[in-house]
Amino acid sequence: MANDNLKVLNALDVAKTQLYHFTAIVIAGMGFFTDAYDLFCISLVTKLLGRIYYHETGDGKPGTLPPNMSAAVNGVAFCGTLAGQLFFGWLGDKMGRKKVYGMTLMLMVICSIASGLSFSNEPTAVMATLCFFRFWLGFGIGGDYPLSATIMSEYANKKTRGAFIAAVFAMQGFGILTGGMVACIVSAAFKSKYPAPAYEDNPLRSTVPQADYVWRIILMFGSIPALMTYYWRMKMPETARYTALVAKNAKKAAADMSKVLQVEIEAEQEKVVEKQHNQFGLFSKQFVKRHGLHLLGTTSTWFLLDIAFYSQNLFQKDIFSAIGWIPPAKTMNAIQEVFKISRAQTLIALCSTVPGYWFTVFFIDRIGRFAIQLMGFFFMTVFMFALAIPYHHWTQRENRIGFVVMYAFTFFFANFGPNATTFVVPAEIFPARLRSTCHGISAASGKAGAIIGAFGFLYAAQSQDKTKTDKGYPPGIGVKNSLIVLGVVNFLGILFTFLVPESNGKSLEEMSRENEDEDEEGVDMETVRTSENRTVPV
């Protein structure tokens, strides 16, 4: 039965690119757009939160969030995302993609709105409320990773499947871009309406009372795109692969896809019944034998990639100040600082982040996932070492622009490389009944790497001289040594990429080997039947 696929699945594999493909990209992609907006917009307002709630009278510098509070505000959503990826990934295989998809979206909408609310004006109460709702916002966002990838992979044809899944992920770039633009517009409007002096001129009046509305509006705006797509998510039929291969209802799968593809498709319920015995679980010997190394490959590469990818906040303040995008904090008022930070983030997204994603969309089905991931890790390794080894050279004022260019290329090749492929591949290589779960495990591994990259290296990159560390931080290993460690991390990504199979141009059933029968002892029944049918010469 190695090539005996259901007709409904064959129809999806060979379907021409048509309107329903683009509809699915938009519906799934808007979830990722919202995810990126919600996860990244917090970095635009943390400086403002410090000025509003942690101002110290007589201090020559504006108030900032204490290190532990800053880590909590920025990192709690990552922790929620990790938990949500594991939970909703598992639930998507148990209840179906469509049912769980609606739950994650409503959770994101409610928690986006609630993030902008607080039960008191005391700093501790405001931060506690913010952290509580951002954890649950992250929990909903986490569910979107495995579900969006799995739904898109199960709807797509095999010729352009990689580009479709990558296009969903590429919406993350537009989410980051929109976050910067919304923050620019809101802060510009408030700056115009409520002018204020710079901090160095009048520390108290530099933060107007109305600034408290700015961060709330920016955070709450994330609920709008999610709310707009809820109706369309609920109108999408369950994927045929889940309905036929997991729910075992070939008749409904054929009926649903007949409407979508606008062709008649035979149900073939008897084939579904025949395949029912081949149902090994995640913790079985058969799974370890078939997919154990694949799961190790997807989890390790995503983990290593996110350590490097989320460490970018190490250099952003140096880069922004080096090219004059963000002047010293004391020369600006509170709302002006939000405007300058969000403008810088918008320009970086426009010039580096967004193009990298769409290069992947264009090339992934032409040169394959493996080549793009290997190339991405290779160039990230090269650029990290090129930044690290002559680090003193890059710190000279006349060489700062070169540092910015190298930095931009590092993250261009992250997006035109493993940042996209680590999302695509886990949605293609595992069996339908475990696809969402395995993608969730891989994504959660990545988010664990993100936590290390964003916060572990924030401490590690502190100067070894305790007199030169940022306020509240202990001495670390320094930026140069941190960059060397990140170069090694990227090199390990190259090595672990060899555990990940190439799925370009193959059907999901070919990759997961769901059409191959296997008995309890792990013997390939197709081989047995072939040998039984051979004619022995007399």
Side-chain angles (χ1 to χ4, degrees):
M1 211 182 286
N3 296 311
D4 194 12
N5 211 357
L6 291 166
K7 288 180 181 176
V8 64
L9 306 187
N10 284 332
L12 283 167
D13 280 339
V14 300
K16 290 180 179 177
T17 301
Q18 48 195 281
L19 182 62
Y20 87 89
H21 286 122
F22 294 108
T23 304
I25 289 170
V26 171
I27 293 169
M30 283 307 287
F32 250 80
F33 175 97
T34 306
D35 298 349
Y37 181 96
D38 288 332
L39 281 179
F40 288 91
C41 70
I42 191 68
S43 64
L44 305 175
V45 298
T46 47
K47 298 275 190 190
L48 179 61
L49 291 170
R51 285 195 187 228
I52 295 171
Y53 296 107
Y54 292 90
H55 169 70
E56 292 179 15
T57 306
D59 196 337
K61 292 182 180 178
T64 56
L65 293 177
N68 291 344
M69 188 60 73
S70 178
V73 168
N74 285 289
V76 71
F78 286 149
C79 297
T81 303
L82 190 155
Q85 285 163 337
L86 293 171
F87 177 72
F88 286 116
W90 168 78
L91 203 62
D93 284 332
K94 294 297 176 188
M95 291 179 60
R97 297 29 165 153
K98 179 185 172 179
K99 286 180 184 175
V100 182
Y101 215 25
M103 293 180 202
T104 62
L105 202 66
M106 283 315 296
L107 192 57
M108 285 157 59
V109 169
I110 292 165
C111 293
S112 283
I113 295 169
S115 292
L117 307 174
S118 51
F119 301 134
S120 167
N121 59 2
E122 286 296 313
T124 307
V126 173
M127 295 303 136
T129 307
L130 180 61
C131 288
F132 176 80
F133 286 115
R134 281 194 65 79
F135 175 85
W136 291 107
L137 172 65
F139 194 68
I141 288 171
D144 233 43
Y145 275 73
L147 293 167
S148 291
T150 300
I151 285 171
M152 198 64 247
S153 74
E154 293 182 346
Y155 263 109
N157 60 50
K158 63 183 179 182
K159 185 179 177 184
T160 55
R161 186 179 62 237
F164 289 162
I165 305 172
V168 169
F169 191 68
M171 294 297 283
Q172 194 176 68
F174 288 122
I176 296 168
L177 183 64
T178 303
M181 290 170 65
V182 168
C184 276
I185 293 166
V186 172
S187 57
F190 273 78
K191 185 161 66 97
S192 173
K193 181 75 173 171
Y194 306 103
Y199 184 88
E200 61 186 357
D201 297 330
N202 191 323
L204 205 57
R205 290 186 58 215
S206 70
T207 305
V208 295
Q210 292 81 3
D212 199 38
Y213 294 113
V214 173
W215 69 269
R216 298 175 191 274
I217 292 168
I218 291 168
L219 295 187
M220 293 168 82
F221 185 86
S223 64
I224 295 173
L227 202 55
M228 286 167 61
T229 55
Y230 183 77
Y231 172 78
W232 297 107
R233 278 201 183 186
M234 294 299 92
K235 291 281 286 181
M236 284 179 81
E238 181 59 86
T239 70
R241 284 182 162 91
Y242 181 85
T243 306
L245 299 175
V246 184
K248 304 298 179 189
N249 191 340
K251 188 175 180 182
K252 186 170 188 333
D256 286 344
M257 291 306 106
S258 292
K259 289 178 188 173
V260 169
L261 299 172
Q262 297 181 328
V263 293
E264 280 297 318
I265 301 174
E266 190 181 338
E268 303 180 293
Q269 185 65 34
E270 69 284 350
K271 282 191 182 179
V272 172
V273 174
E274 284 175 28
K275 295 172 189 278
Q276 280 189 358
H277 65 278
N278 187 14
Q279 295 292 301
F280 56 82
L282 181 65
F283 300 105
S284 64
K285 287 180 182 177
Q286 292 98 318
F287 179 85
V288 173
K289 182 182 172 186
R290 284 192 181 189
H291 301 293
L293 285 178
H294 298 163
L295 187 59
L296 176 61
T298 58
T299 52
S300 58
T301 51
W302 206 335
F303 174 76
L304 294 165
L305 173 275
D306 273 7
I307 290 176
F309 188 78
Y310 284 90
S311 69
Q312 60 186 292
N313 59 6
L314 293 182
F315 338 106
Q316 279 193 353
K317 63 180 181 183
D318 299 327
I319 287 167
F320 291 162
S321 56
I323 54 183
W325 284 356
I326 301 180
K330 65 181 181 181
T331 64
M332 300 179 284
N333 64 46
I335 297 175
Q336 189 180 6
E337 188 175 33
V338 175
F339 178 80
K340 296 278 188 182
I341 292 170
S342 54
R343 186 183 66 175
Q345 290 277 70
T346 303
L347 289 169
I348 281 195
L350 202 57
C351 300
S352 178
T353 309
V354 172
Y357 285 121
W358 290 97
F359 264 71
T360 302
V361 173
F362 185 77
F363 285 108
I364 194 166
D365 290 314
R366 289 171 169 80
I367 62 177
R369 291 79 163 138
F370 180 82
I372 288 177
Q373 185 160 311
L374 204 63
M375 174 195 68
F377 270 128
F378 172 78
F379 280 112
M380 287 175 74
T381 305
V382 169
F383 286 120
M384 280 292 186
F385 281 128
L387 288 170
I389 294 167
Y391 181 69
H392 179 71
H393 168 82
W394 298 119
T395 58
Q396 305 300 310
R397 193 157 206 59
E398 63 272 17
N399 300 322
R400 288 285 182 91
I401 296 301
F403 183 89
V404 172
V405 172
M406 299 279 276
Y407 168 86
F409 271 118
T410 303
F411 291 98
F412 170 80
F413 281 107
N415 292 321
F416 180 35
N419 194 34
T421 54
T422 51
F423 176 80
V424 173
V425 174
E428 299 182 306
I429 62 177
F430 299 108
R433 66 187 175 280
L434 299 171
R435 187 168 291 137
S436 179
T437 302
C438 290
H439 195 285
I441 292 168
S442 303
S445 174
K447 210 50 71 185
I451 293 167
I452 293 170
F455 305 108
F457 276 91
L458 201 57
Y459 284 84
Q462 296 297 319
S463 174
Q464 292 169 306
D465 182 351
K466 63 171 66 177
T467 62
K468 295 180 181 178
T469 61
D470 292 340
K471 185 180 176 183
Y473 288 92
I477 60 173
V479 174
K480 177 176 180 174
N481 291 332
S482 295
L483 285 168
I484 290 171
V485 172
L486 290 169
V488 173
V489 165
N490 289 322
F491 179 73
L492 290 174
I494 294 174
L495 300 182
F496 279 100
T497 294
F498 286 95
L499 296 178
V500 181
E502 177 59 78
S503 50
N504 191 21
K506 298 177 181 177
S507 75
L508 298 180
E509 286 68 45
E510 279 180 80
M511 288 309 302
S512 63
R513 295 166 62 192
E514 281 174 282
N515 288 335
E516 296 178 16
D517 292 339
E518 197 170 277
D519 69 1
E520 291 177 5
E521 301 300 318
V523 178
D524 190 333
M525 295 302 290
E526 182 66 23
T527 306
V528 172
R529 270 196 299 273
T530 304
S531 61
E532 284 175 353
N533 292 333
R534 285 186 186 133
T535 304
V536 180
V538 177

